[in-house]
């Protein structure tokens, strides 16, 4: 008899006590039984384990990356000779603080993306946490013998931290996509949700950063309306970076000692007693070598165009929006508004964005909607919403009614950016490539994307406010066409099918694969119209995934389990669900 029917008279123990249905028990006994059966905080604990822990690196990225613009406002009002009039500091070095972190991110994405496929996800994530911790400490204690020397150290600290953050993109994307057992029901139905909910931590990082800055400014300046002393501004920004450094230190500890590889046999090639020999066997099982990289470029070059250029367009929109945010807030509040008032408006913008993040996570696995339609619709909506201010900027900023319309347009664009390309570009780059090159491809796509973040950060220093909207809107239109033409939709596609196809590609027999990975539904327009890969699809000739395909993902992943639970147990839980 199964444990489910372990109660008296064969009645299920989950609903009966001593042969009595739980609803028929006396009040006290019923209450005690209910509390013993179910932990009321279990949903929050499970959410923490599955999404918060796996997304902590992205949370840190959102916290620090977007704090730069927030702190910039405070520096301008408290360090005028350095940050506004450039009497004591170099204007060039001051402007580099806007984009040095992005340069570090690009370097980290390319480097750690490769290491994540070569050494495994776990070691890449440990490395990211350690480098981010060092970067946070450098940001918190940055100093110099002169004001300009301090600015230089502040910029270099951002470069170091950015390198660690850059590695989080391919590591978190690949690890979240591989959270479920490949081929399981949960893999096909909830993979998008797993990645999207981990990515929503970016929005929560922005929200917490604003909260910490506000608390710090009130604590060190006694009031938020200004004026702001040098000491209060310095203490506030150092407190904000010291706060996140503590969290990153815990994350490094967790990834090193608590994020354990699975105990199944599939983890042995990377973690066996044979040391370096077993590690080499693991990399061989994973299929990562120079030949695999060449196949990534030759066989999936068009997908790289879709994921890379799509991410570029999204980051041009997203970071262009963030760079222009302070100017937008000044239109709403006037040029003499306080730092606290600007932060409160930004807090509202982040709240709107969080609604978009979670709406995307809710609907991203719906097969009638999917990744491609969500991304294309989001790009098109952003194009229209940024085109309007470009065309009628004067009327929108010249009257009270116009400013209200401008406010709606700006906040609505934040929603559509999250309920669209900002979530999907992160997911698609993780799931349309086989596991052995997934981290590398994701890192390459993200690095090109961050060039899209770098471009407006530099460009916007030299063009007018109206021209900024003209520049940004076309990125939305280009992103729409790139998505429609080059991005495949993997909604509902088993990752084992990707591995089966990849195995035949590595053997030089790509046309021998006839499974659902080449179904027209899961191919891009380019792959259908130009390459005609959908002609390979033969429903009656579908192959069962081979043993090599099933083990290659485990080998490259090192049996990683973010909660310390082995993959066999995850499989049982998935099937039970």
């Amino acid at each position: 008899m199964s444990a489910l029917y372990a109660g008296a008279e064969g009645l299920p123990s989950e609903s009966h006590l001593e042969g009595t249905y739980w609803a028929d028990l006396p009040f006290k006994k019923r209450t005690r039984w209910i509390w013993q059966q179910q932990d009321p905080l279990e949903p929050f604990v499970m959410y923490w384990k599955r999404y918060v822990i796996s997304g902590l690196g992205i949370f840190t990225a959102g916290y620090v990356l977007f704090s730069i613009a927030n702190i910039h406002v405070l520096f301008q009002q408290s360090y005028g000779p350095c940050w506004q009039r450039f009497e004591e500091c170099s204007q060039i070095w001051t402007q580099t603080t806007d984009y040095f972190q992005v340069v570090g991110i690009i370097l980290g994405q390319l480097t750690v993306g490769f290491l994540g496929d070569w050494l495994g996800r776990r070691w890449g994530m440990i490395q990211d946490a350690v480098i981010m911790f060092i970067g946070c400490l450098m940001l918190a204690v940055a100093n110099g013998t002169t004001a300009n020397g301090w600015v230089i150290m502040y910029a270099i600290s951002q470069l170091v931290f950015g390198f660690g953050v850059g590695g989080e993109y391919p590591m978190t994307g690949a690890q979240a996509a591989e959270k479920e057992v490949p081929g399981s029901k949960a893999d096909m139905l909830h993979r998008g949700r797993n990645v999207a909910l981990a990515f929503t931590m970016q929005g929560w990082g922005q929200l917490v950063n604003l909260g910490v800055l506000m608390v710090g400014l009130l604590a060190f300046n006694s009031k938020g309306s200004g004026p702001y002393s040098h000491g209060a501004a310095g203490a506030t920004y150092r407190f904000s970076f010291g706060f996140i450094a503590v969290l990153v230190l815990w994350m490094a500890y967790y990834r090193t000692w608590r994020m354990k590889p699975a105990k199944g046999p599939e983890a042995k090639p990377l973690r066996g007693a044979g040391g370096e020999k077993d590690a080499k066997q693991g990399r061989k099982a994973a299929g990562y070598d120079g030949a695999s990289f060449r196949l990534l470029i030759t066989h999936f070059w068009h997908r790289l165009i879709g994921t890379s250029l799509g991410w570029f367009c999204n980051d041009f929109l997203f970071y262009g929006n963030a760079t222009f945010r302070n100017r937008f807030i000044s239109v709403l509040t006037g040029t003499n508004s306080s730092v606290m008032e600007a932060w409160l408006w930004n807090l509202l913008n982040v709240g709107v964005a969080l609604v978009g993040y979670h709406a995307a996570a809710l609907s991203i696995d719906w097969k009638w909607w999917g990744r491609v339609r969500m991304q294309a619709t989001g790009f098109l909506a952003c194009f229209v919403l940024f085109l309007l201010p470009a065309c009628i900027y004067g009327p929108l900023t010249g009257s009270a009614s116009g400013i209200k319309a401008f406010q709606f347009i700006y906040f609505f664009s934040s929603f559509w950016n999250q309920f669209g390309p900002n979530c999907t570009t992160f997911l698609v780059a993780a799931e349309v490539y086989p596991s052995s090159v997934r981290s590398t491809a994701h890192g390459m796509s993200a690095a090109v994307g961050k060039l899209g973040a770098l471009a407006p950060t530099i460009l916007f220093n030299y063009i007018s406010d109206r021209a900024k909207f003209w520049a940004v809107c076309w990125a939305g239109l280009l992103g729409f066409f790139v998505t429609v033409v080059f991005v495949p939709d993997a909604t509902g596609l088993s990752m084992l099918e990707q591995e089966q196809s990849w195995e035949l590609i590595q053997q030089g027999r790509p046309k021998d694969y006839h499974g659902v990975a080449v179904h027209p539904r899961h191919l891009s327009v380019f792959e259908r119209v130009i390459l005609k890969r959908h002609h390979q699809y033969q429903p009656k000739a579908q192959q069962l995934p081979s043993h090599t395909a099933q083990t290659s993902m485990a080998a490259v992943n090192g049996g990683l389990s973010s909660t310390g639970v082995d993959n066999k147990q995850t499989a049982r839980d998935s099937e039970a669900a």
Side-chain angles (χ1 to χ4, degrees), residues 142 326 337 363 443 466-467 506 527:
N326 293 332
S337 63
S363 58
R466 184 172 188 173
Q506 289 179 306
E527 289 171 323

Side-chain angles (χ1 to χ4, degrees), residues 148-159:
N148 193 57
W150 164 69
V151 170
I152 292 173
M153 286 304 302
Y154 182 58
I156 293 173
S157 301
Q158 288 185 34
L159 183 70

Side-chain angles (χ1 to χ4, degrees), residues 524-536:
S524 67
V525 170
F526 184 85
E527 289 171 323
R528 297 196 306 268
V529 176
I530 304 300
L531 302 180
K532 302 188 184 302
R533 288 184 179 170
H534 63 291
H535 290 170
Q536 296 174 215

Side-chain angles (χ1 to χ4, degrees), residues 8 77 132 164 183 186 200 261 274 287 299 342 406 466 481 511 562:
Q77 294 199 21
M132 284 194 290
T200 60
H299 193 81
F406 187 34
R466 184 172 188 173
F481 283 113
K511 294 186 178 181
S562 62

Side-chain angles (χ1 to χ4, degrees), residues 66-125:
F66 295 95
S67 72
I68 303 304
N70 297 326
I71 293 173
H72 201 137
V73 178
L74 178 61
F75 285 166
Q76 285 180 328
Q77 294 199 21
S78 59
Y79 292 92
C82 184
W83 290 83
Q84 277 189 319
R85 298 186 294 276
F86 309 112
E87 298 167 354
E88 300 178 5
C89 304
S90 164
Q91 183 176 1
I92 294 176
W93 271 109
T94 303
Q95 290 176 346
T96 60
T97 62
D98 290 331
Y99 58 81
F100 246 38
Q101 193 175 117
V102 178
V103 174
I105 290 174
I106 293 172
L107 296 175
Q109 287 167 335
L110 292 173
T111 304
V112 183
F114 163 74
L115 291 176
D117 283 330
W118 188 54
L119 297 177
R121 317 293 191 230
R122 179 171 176 265
W123 292 108
M125 297 181 80

Side-chain angles (χ1 to χ4, degrees), residues 140-354:
V141 303
N143 215 328
T145 56
T146 64
N148 193 57
W150 164 69
V151 170
I152 292 173
M153 286 304 302
Y154 182 58
I156 293 173
S157 301
Q158 288 185 34
L159 183 70
V160 174
F161 180 84
F163 186 89
V165 167
E168 277 300 302
Y169 284 83
M171 291 297 95
T172 300
Q175 189 261 347
E178 296 162 357
K179 183 180 291 292
E180 306 293 353
V181 175
S184 67
K185 180 179 179 181
D187 169 43
M188 291 184 283
L189 296 183
H190 305 308
R191 184 174 64 247
R193 182 189 65 186
N194 289 337
V195 177
L197 285 176
F199 189 67
T200 60
M201 295 303 295
Q202 182 187 72
W204 287 108
Q206 297 176 58
L207 189 73
V208 172
N209 172 251
L210 284 166
V212 171
L213 285 173
M214 289 178 182
V215 170
L217 190 59
L218 290 172
F220 298 117
N221 201 66
S222 73
K223 59 180 180 179
S225 57
Y228 310 103
S229 67
H230 289 196
T236 299
Y237 107 82
R238 293 181 192 278
F239 168 71
S240 71
F241 289 129
F243 173 87
I244 195 64
V246 175
L247 180 62
V248 176
L249 180 61
W250 180 87
M251 183 172 67
Y253 153 76
Y254 181 88
R255 290 179 175 182
T256 303
W257 283 282
R258 299 296 299 275
M259 184 178 281
K260 300 177 182 179
K263 298 179 181 179
E266 60 276 354
K268 290 182 180 178
L270 280 181
R271 303 288 184 260
E276 184 179 351
K277 181 179 178 180
D278 282 342
K280 291 180 179 179
Q281 290 176 351
R283 288 191 287 273
K284 184 177 180 180
Y288 191 83
D289 51 25
S292 295
F293 182 77
R294 288 192 294 272
L295 283 173
L296 169 66
I297 301 300
T298 57
H299 193 81
F300 291 119
W301 62 269
H302 40 86
R303 292 193 177 187
L304 284 170
I305 290 177
T307 56
S308 300
L309 195 53
W311 207 325
F312 177 93
C313 294
N314 169 71
D315 276 15
F316 199 100
L317 287 168
F318 184 53
Y319 288 91
N321 181 306
T323 303
F324 184 73
R325 181 175 58 230
N326 293 332
R327 175 57 185 150
F328 162 73
I329 292 173
S330 70
V331 171
L332 299 180
T333 62
T335 55
N336 296 321
S337 63
S338 68
V339 171
M340 190 65 73
E341 188 176 6
W343 285 350
L344 286 171
W345 277 106
N346 190 17
L347 192 67
L348 176 60
N349 186 50
V350 172
V352 173
L354 275 171

